[in-house]
Amino acid sequence: MGFTDFLRNFHEKHEKLKHTIHNKWRYPLPKSGQYAMALFYFCIPIVGGHYVMEWAKSKSVDEIGARGEKLREKKLQGFGNKTVIDGKVESIGAGGIGGGVHLALSDEETQKKNKAMLEAMFRRERKRRRKEKKDSEQDKEQKESNVDEERTS
C-alpha cells in the first residue's frame, strides 16, 4: 500500500464522515433555536475581538507605557557590531549573537563615501529629469508647429 493509496483511503473515509455528520445527525431547529444559533454565531467574533483588543492594549502598555513614556528608554545601545544588552557589551553579527553575517561599520570614511555616492546619484537624477523636461517641451513645441502648419495649408 503506497502513499497515494493511503491518501485516497483517507479522503474516502473523510468524505464518509462528513456525509454522516451533515445528513444522518441532522436535526431541524425551531425558529427560536435558529435565532439563538444566529445570535451565538454573531456574538463569537464580537466577543473574541473584544478580548483580543484588550490583550493588545495590555501588551501595548507593557511595551511602551500608558502614555508612551517607555519609548524614550533605550533598551539596545551600541555602535557598529557592538551593543549593550542589560549593561553588558556584546558583539552582534558574525561570531556574536545570532552568528550572522559581518555587519558594516559606519566609520567617517564610509560615511563620506556614502555621502559622495548619494550626491552623485542625485546629480544624475536631476540631469535626467531636466533632459526629460526639455524633451517634453521640444515635443510640445513640435506638435504646436505641426498644428500651425496644418492650419496654414
Side-chain angles (χ1 to χ4, degrees), residues 29-55:
L29 290 175
K31 279 289 183 195
S32 60
Q34 292 175 4
Y35 288 126
M37 290 310 296
L39 179 67
F40 176 75
Y41 284 121
F42 174 79
C43 290
I44 287 176
I46 303 294
V47 172
H50 170 74
Y51 282 106
V52 167
M53 288 303 297
E54 290 300 316
W55 173 81

Side-chain angles (χ1 to χ4, degrees), residues 45-72:
I46 303 294
V47 172
H50 170 74
Y51 282 106
V52 167
M53 288 303 297
E54 290 300 316
W55 173 81
K57 281 196 271 186
S58 70
K59 290 297 283 183
S60 172
V61 169
D62 291 346
E63 292 294 320
I64 65 171
R67 299 231 177 240
E69 59 272 1
K70 290 184 181 178
L71 288 175
R72 291 170 198 82

Side-chain angles (χ1 to χ4, degrees), residues 72-91:
R72 291 170 198 82
E73 296 176 14
K74 290 186 178 181
K75 293 182 183 176
L76 185 69
Q77 303 165 356
F79 176 78
N81 64 345
K82 300 287 184 204
T83 187
V84 179
I85 300 176
D86 296 328
K88 188 171 129 186
V89 177
E90 295 188 30
S91 176

Side-chain angles (χ1 to χ4, degrees), residues 17-27:
L17 176 65
K18 287 193 318 190
H19 184 274
T20 301
I21 289 171
H22 290 286
N23 292 318
K24 291 185 179 178
W25 297 342
R26 201 170 191 184
Y27 180 75

Side-chain angles (χ1 to χ4, degrees), residues 134-145:
K134 183 179 177 185
D135 290 346
S136 68
E137 288 174 357
Q138 287 176 350
D139 289 343
K140 188 176 179 181
E141 290 174 3
Q142 182 67 30
K143 286 179 184 178
E144 288 175 358
S145 66

